[in-house]
Amino acid sequence: MSSNVTAVSYGLKLSLPDIQRLRSLLTAAGLSVGTETRAGDGRFEVYAADCTLDSETPGSETPVSETSGSGNASAPASLTAARLEGPRHTLAASAIDGVDTALVPAGLRNARRKFLILDVDSTLIQQEVIELLAAYAGKREEVTAVTEAAMRGEVDFAQSLHARVAVLAGLPADVVAKVRAEVKLTEGAAELVAAFQAAGHAVAVVSGGFNQTLQPIAEDLGLHYWVANELEIVDGALTGKVLGDVIDRAAKEKHLREWAAAEGIPMEHTIAVGDGANDLDMLGAAGIGIAFNAKPAVRAAADAAVNLPYLDAVRYIAGV
């Protein structure tokens, strides 16, 4: 019996009783477990099981066959994604402490080419750049509170961005370079990007942050696509404004769709990763949306969650 979905579980430690428990949970979620593999590198451990959706699973009357990088979206792949919603909820409700499980359509994991899109602040990098900038204006605590509310979806992102950037008015432009030096990639970020690129996949980042800090990071990583907001600088000082339209949740989804189309990669073969409410649209549009150390509402809406400090856990989910 050929598999049509892979269950990928990951945590700092996966004991034999954990694996046995995971098998039981997968069966209870309507999946038949086939070939199993173990992976990991000392930082975290991974258990993967090729599975089939049981015939009694709602919507499973129609046979499922997956494509592998054909370049065209397929109805079967979409059907599989819809059928995974119930099992995903079941697994999330009965998860083992410290262990998360992603259910990934085989068509995505086996695709010849995939498209990975990443949020930047608190995903690709460890910090929130606006908070680092605000510290130079003596407004870090105030800005952090607004940022956290925006990431929880409690306030409009574009409005909150304009309000937060306004406190930067008058700062000398050289603070941007100072902040850039403070920025650190998330552990595993460079490894994740390199693995996707080495396998011939496309990688992009999209940020509600700022071009001035993102550009050197994107260039160093050799990213295919990237976009962020542009801080306005006049006469060597920040004006407290951004130029052009704000990169908000709608813009993030738009760029995902446009860039994937430009690469000839169907949406079923895209992976989106983010942590905040402004990432929800692209997480929902992607073949699999992954919440990375995310706010509760984002974890609840995403297809999968990584609650480890290592971004390269995503490559195990994607099969790269």
Side-chain angles (χ1 to χ4, degrees), residues 166-230:
V167 309
L168 308 178
L171 285 177
D174 64 4
V175 303
V176 177
K178 293 177 181 178
V179 163
R180 195 158 53 221
E182 296 178 47
V183 169
K184 295 182 179 179
L185 289 176
T186 297
E187 287 196 58
E191 292 82 357
L192 173 66
V193 172
F196 265 76
Q197 292 174 332
H201 307 304
V203 183
V205 296
V206 59
S207 176
F210 310 108
N211 281 326
Q212 285 92 339
T213 52
L214 178 57
Q215 180 174 353
I217 296 171
E219 292 175 348
D220 287 347
L221 292 173
L223 295 177
H224 295 74
Y225 303 95
W226 58 274
V227 69
N229 298 299
E230 184 79 14

Side-chain angles (χ1 to χ4, degrees), residues 71-271:
N72 295 309
S74 67
S78 298
L79 177 61
T80 299
R83 289 168 58 194
L84 291 178
E85 185 175 350
R88 281 170 172 159
H89 284 306
T90 299
L91 289 170
S94 54
I96 299 170
D97 285 345
V99 179
D100 291 295
T101 298
L103 296 183
V104 192
L108 189 156
R109 282 178 57 90
N110 298 332
R112 181 182 62 83
R113 291 196 72 226
K114 306 169 190 178
F115 189 93
L116 171 67
I117 187 166
L118 301 160
D119 171 48
V120 177
D121 292 39
S122 297
T123 301
L124 181 71
I125 64 174
Q126 298 177 30
Q127 298 86 4
E128 292 283 337
V129 168
I130 185 64
E131 296 174 8
L132 299 181
L133 288 167
Y136 286 89
K139 300 284 188 178
R140 181 162 189 164
E141 291 186 5
E142 171 187 325
V143 166
T144 296
V146 177
T147 298
E148 291 179 351
M151 292 303 98
R152 292 192 297 266
E154 297 170 359
V155 297
D156 177 78
F157 179 81
Q159 291 179 358
S160 75
L161 181 70
H162 288 304
R164 286 175 287 161
V165 171
V167 309
L168 308 178
L171 285 177
D174 64 4
V175 303
V176 177
K178 293 177 181 178
V179 163
R180 195 158 53 221
E182 296 178 47
V183 169
K184 295 182 179 179
L185 289 176
T186 297
E187 287 196 58
E191 292 82 357
L192 173 66
V193 172
F196 265 76
Q197 292 174 332
H201 307 304
V203 183
V205 296
V206 59
S207 176
F210 310 108
N211 281 326
Q212 285 92 339
T213 52
L214 178 57
Q215 180 174 353
I217 296 171
E219 292 175 348
D220 287 347
L221 292 173
L223 295 177
H224 295 74
Y225 303 95
W226 58 274
V227 69
N229 298 299
E230 184 79 14
L231 287 168
E232 184 180 59
I233 298 174
V234 176
D235 296 331
L238 301 181
T239 66
K241 298 178 182 179
V242 293
L243 299 172
D245 294 333
V246 169
I247 303 300
D248 58 7
R249 58 188 289 174
K252 289 188 173 189
E253 179 187 351
K254 178 178 76 73
H255 284 292
L256 163 60
R257 292 185 180 278
E258 290 179 352
W259 292 337
E263 291 289 326
I265 298 174
M267 291 298 291
E268 284 83 357
H269 299 162
T270 63
I271 304 103

Side-chain angles (χ1 to χ4, degrees), residues 1-3 5-7 23 26-27 31-37 47-52:
M1 187 185 302
S2 62
S3 71
V5 61
T6 299
R23 292 191 191 109
L26 292 172
T27 300
L31 298 164
S32 295
V33 177
T35 302
E36 300 170 287
T37 57
Y47 161 75
D50 292 336
C51 301
T52 54

